[in-house]
Amino acid sequence: TDSGNNLYRVVLIGEAGVGKSTLTSIFAGLQNNLENWDILGEDTYERTITVDGEGATLIVMDTWDNKGEDNWTQDHCMLIGDAYLIVYSITDRASFEKASELRIQLRRTRQAEDIPIILVGNKCDLVRCREVSVAEGRSCAVVFDCKFIETSAAVQHNVQELFEGIVRQVRLRRDSK
Ligand code: GDP
Ligand code: MG
């Protein structure tokens, strides 16, 4: 996509069940509006937000778990994003380990590029079921060379901040060119 137009394609990746669709729906403003879900059946949403006084249009793609549609394979998802949210659930260590695999896969697929990534520990409302500590998430992000945030789609904690954060990451790279 043309970053000169402040149009950014943001792709959510991560194990099924970690909350990608719920995070996306909150950002897209689809909560409590089930009709829109049906109309926009493609799992791709567009919204313009203002971050630090500058507009940005995000095309948010929640297509990772789509099965059976050949043109939306996971390989394709790895290629088309301007930025990525690698999501795991803090209540599911396997999803955290999967996040590492995805980071490696993304690095391999987009070798020459410095792609903005945020590692997202979702479901942080479920404190009593926590399997991955904040410190582990943070140090994993250091190894990944990316940003880190914990969110809760359920109580809408840090969701707006997450999407603003990815815009800032894209801009940092744009402005340093
Ligand atoms: P996806 O497979 O990654 O798209 O995950 P979904 O968005 O479909 O979420 C899977 C399940 O986790 C659903 O039952 C959601 O309601 C629930 N869920 C998603 N985010 C959160 C969260 O932040 N906290 C809690 N407690 N549940 C969540
Ligand atoms: Mg989903």
Side-chain angles (χ1 to χ4, degrees):
T1 41
D2 181 10
S3 54
N5 286 334
N6 294 329
L7 183 68
Y8 309 129
R9 198 185 293 274
V10 177
V11 181
L12 287 92
I13 64 178
E15 202 155 88
V18 297
K20 299 181 298 299
S21 299
T22 313
L23 287 167
T24 302
S25 72
I26 290 168
F27 176 72
L30 298 180
Q31 292 290 298
N32 311 317
N33 194 345
L34 294 171
E35 276 178 31
N36 273 350
W37 275 108
D38 289 334
I39 296 162
L40 298 171
E42 279 197 61
D43 299 326
T44 299
Y45 308 93
E46 185 180 313
R47 195 183 146 197
T48 299
I49 56 172
T50 301
V51 182
D52 305 327
E54 189 184 345
T57 298
L58 300 188
I59 297 167
V60 178
M61 305 195 67
D62 178 34
T63 50
W64 185 249
D65 294 323
N66 283 3
K67 299 270 157 58
E69 299 198 24
D70 291 330
N71 50 336
W72 291 121
T73 60
Q74 296 189 337
D75 288 345
H76 189 62
C77 287
M78 286 283 180
L79 288 169
I80 59 172
D82 297 313
Y84 288 84
L85 306 177
I86 303 181
V87 187
Y88 67 93
S89 166
I90 66 139
T91 67
D92 178 4
R93 179 159 291 279
S95 73
F96 182 60
E97 281 153 14
K98 178 70 181 180
S100 294
E101 281 173 38
L102 292 173
R103 175 65 182 105
I104 292 163
Q105 205 180 321
L106 194 53
R107 184 179 282 148
R108 199 183 293 136
T109 309
R110 306 282 294 270
Q111 266 171 17
E113 299 170 70
D114 177 23
I115 299 177
I117 297 170
I118 298 180
L119 178 66
V120 184
N122 189 43
K123 306 200 186 184
C124 72
D125 58 292
L126 298 176
V127 286
R128 299 176 74 173
C129 307
R130 182 184 282 276
E131 289 184 0
V132 183
S133 72
V134 179
E136 281 177 290
R138 206 175 276 142
S139 63
C140 183
V142 171
V143 173
F144 282 11
D145 190 24
C146 72
K147 286 284 169 184
F148 171 67
I149 192 170
E150 282 201 352
T151 58
S152 168
V155 303
Q156 304 201 11
H157 172 70
N158 270 351
V159 179
Q160 191 66 26
E161 289 79 358
L162 168 62
F163 287 93
E164 290 175 4
I166 200 68
V167 170
R168 291 195 180 97
Q169 288 306 304
V170 175
R171 284 181 184 163
L172 276 174
R173 286 160 177 78
R174 177 197 67 186
D175 295 343
S176 68
K177 273 176 193 157

